[in-house]
Amino acid sequence: MPEEKISNILKTLPNKPGIYQHLDKNGKILYIGKAKDLRKRVSSYFTKGHDSARIRVMVSKIADIQTIITETEFDALILENNLIKEYQPRYNINLKDDKTYPWICIKKEPFPRIFPTRNPVKDGSEYFGPYASVKVMKTVLGLIRQLYPLRTCKLNLSPEAIESGKYRVCLEYHIGNCKGPCEGLQSEEDYLKDVQSARELIKGHLTKVKQMLQEQMQIAATNLQFEEAQRLKEKFEIVDRYQAKSTVVNPGITNVDVFTVFSDAEFAYVNLLKIVDGAVLQSHTLELKKKLEESNSRILEMAIPELRQRFNSTAREIFVSHEVDLEIPDVKIHIPQRGDKRSLIELSLKNGRYFRLEKLKNIQIVDPDRHVKRLMKQMQQDLRMKVEPRHIECFDNSNIQGTNPVSACVVFKDGKPSKKDYRHFNIKTVEGPDDFASMYEAVFRRYRRLLDEDEPLPQLIVIDGGKGQLGAALNALEDLELRGKIAILGIAKRLEELYFPGDKYPLYLDKRSETLKVIQRLRDEAHRFGITHHRNRRSKGTFKSELSEIKGIGDESVKLLLRKFKSVKNIREASRENLEEVIGSKRAGIIYNHYHSDTKGK
C-alpha cells in the first residue's frame, strides 16, 4: 500500500520549484529538500539506485511526501533552510541558527549608511534579502558604491554634531567616494535622494544600472581594455540574474497566519501558511465539501477557527484572501493589497490550487469514473447548462485563399477525444473564402445525417470562431428545427471569449478553469484535424495535376516517387537513371520523356 501511495504521489507532482518533505509511517519528517523541478527531483529517489546506504535506508522508510510550491528556486532554498532549522529532520545536515543568510541594511539614522549584516535588528532600519549568494549581495553593494557616494563611517551625524565642527573629511571624500556630509558639505536632503536611488536598485529596478554597465562595457572594449570589459560583462550577468527579495521571507512580517480560499462546484479549499519570525514554517490545505452553495467568505469564517485550533496558533495578525465577518480577541484581520504581504496571499493560493490539482490527478488515476463525473458537473455549472455535456462536438473551417475549403468536426465523450466519431466535410456549395457559409453547410450536413440515421445528438456544440460563425451554425440548427434543443457556444481565439446565443457580452472563464481547458482542447483538436485533411486534399490535387495525369503512371508509382524525391519539382529534374531505381525502366522512361519532350517543345 505505501508503494502504491508513493507511486500516485509521484505522478501528480508538478514541474515547479519548491521544497519536499519525506515522512515516515508515523508522520515524522525524515528529510527536507529543495528542488528546481519537484517532479524530477523527488522521482529520482525512487527511480535509480543509490550508492549511499544511508539514502537507501531513508527511502525505505518513506511513507508519505508533502510539498510546498515556491515562485523560484531561490525561494525554495530559503524555505528549506528555515524548515530544517525548525524541525531538525534526522537525515538533514544540522543547521544552527547562527548560520543565517546575509541581508542589506539601510540604517535608520541621520545620513543613513547601507551595509551588509547577518543579524537583522528591530530598530526601525530597512532590511532587504536574504541573499542566498554573498557574491550577488556584494555585487549590489559594489554597484551602490560606484553609483552613489554614500558614507561608510559610523560617525553620529546629528545636526548638532555637524554644526560643532568636531569632524573632518577623510580619505573617502578626497578620492570621490563621499561628499563630506560630516563637515556640512552635503545636505541631508541631497544625501537622501541618493539613498532612495540605492533603495530602488536594491529592490530590483535595474534597467538603468544595466544600461550603464553596457555603456561601460562598450567603452572598455573600444579602448581595447578587454579584461575590464569581461569584468563588467560578468557584473552585468550577475545583476541580470539578481533577485531583489524572497516571497517566503521578510523580517517585517512576523508571527502571522495567512488564510486563502477558492472553490469549485463541489468543494472549497482553504490553505493556511504559518509565518513565524518572518519565515514560512508550515503549509496546510483543508478540503471542505460544499452543501448549501456557501460563499468563499463564509467558508473562510468557518475554517479559520478550526485551523487555528488544530495547529495551536497564537498569531496576533491574520491575512485573508476574502472579506470575513469574524472577530477574534486581540487579533487583527485584513486583506493585503500589495507588496510582500500580498505575495504571501498569492503563495498560499498557489499551494491550495496545487493541493486540489494533486488530488484531482490522483482521482483520475485511481477512480477515473469519479473524475469524469466531477468534470462533467463542473462544466455543466460553468456553462450554465441544463444537462452534463457528456457528448460534445466542435467545428472548425480550413481554407487557404479560398482553395479546397473543408470543415472538421471532432467529438469528445466524457471529456476525452472519440476519434472514431471524427468527421470532415469537403465544402460543396460555397465558392471562395466564405467562412460563415462553410460553417452553415458543415453543421447542417452533420445534424441532418444524425437525424436521418436516428443517431444520438450531442449535448453541446462548440464553434471555433466569434459571433459570425456562431450565427451561421445557429441558422443551420434552426433550419433543422434543433435550435434550443442543443446547447451551443462559440470560442474566439484572441482572448478565449465564449459567446452564447442571445448574450450581448462574452463569458470569460478563469484561464486555469478545467472547463476552459476542455473547450481549448476541442478547438485545437478540430483545428489540427481540419488542417491535416486540408493539406492532404491540396497535396492530392497537386499530385493529380502533375503526375497522375501522365498516361501510364498510376497512384502507386506516384507514391513511390514522392516518397523518394519529396516533391514534383525534384521528380521533374531527376535523371532517368535515378527514376529507374524507384519505378523501373519502362515507367521511368515515360516520366523522363514527358518532362524532357515538353522542354524541347518549348
Side-chain angles (χ1 to χ4, degrees), residues 247-302:
T247 59
V248 298
V249 179
N250 186 318
I253 304 174
T254 59
N255 302 334
V256 172
D257 287 342
V258 181
F259 291 95
T260 60
V261 61
F262 68 96
S263 58
D264 57 27
E266 293 184 273
F267 294 93
Y269 301 87
V270 179
N271 178 264
L272 161 66
L273 283 185
K274 197 172 181 62
I275 316 296
V276 178
D277 293 331
V280 178
L281 290 187
Q282 195 165 30
S283 173
H284 178 80
T285 300
L286 178 67
E287 180 187 69
L288 299 168
K289 185 169 179 60
K290 294 161 66 176
K291 296 182 178 179
L292 300 172
E293 297 297 325
E294 296 91 346
S295 67
N296 283 334
S297 294
R298 177 61 185 143
I299 290 167
L300 208 53
E301 291 166 7
M302 294 185 290

Side-chain angles (χ1 to χ4, degrees), residues 136-200:
V136 171
M137 182 194 68
K138 287 184 176 179
T139 297
V140 175
L141 288 172
L143 287 171
I144 292 172
R145 300 274 184 269
Q146 188 175 354
L147 293 169
Y148 312 112
L150 303 176
R151 72 183 182 110
T152 56
C153 64
K154 297 182 180 180
L155 299 177
N156 175 20
L157 298 186
S158 64
E160 297 77 16
I162 295 173
E163 289 175 7
S164 68
K166 59 191 287 188
Y167 302 132
R168 292 290 179 268
V169 294
C170 63
L171 179 62
E172 290 292 302
Y173 171 79
H174 292 292
I175 62 178
N177 290 340
C178 179
K179 292 184 178 179
C182 58
E183 283 194 27
L185 300 177
Q186 182 184 22
S187 69
E188 187 166 12
E189 181 183 1
D190 182 59
Y191 186 94
L192 289 176
K193 288 180 181 178
D194 286 344
V195 171
Q196 177 59 28
S197 297
R199 182 182 289 109
E200 293 302 313

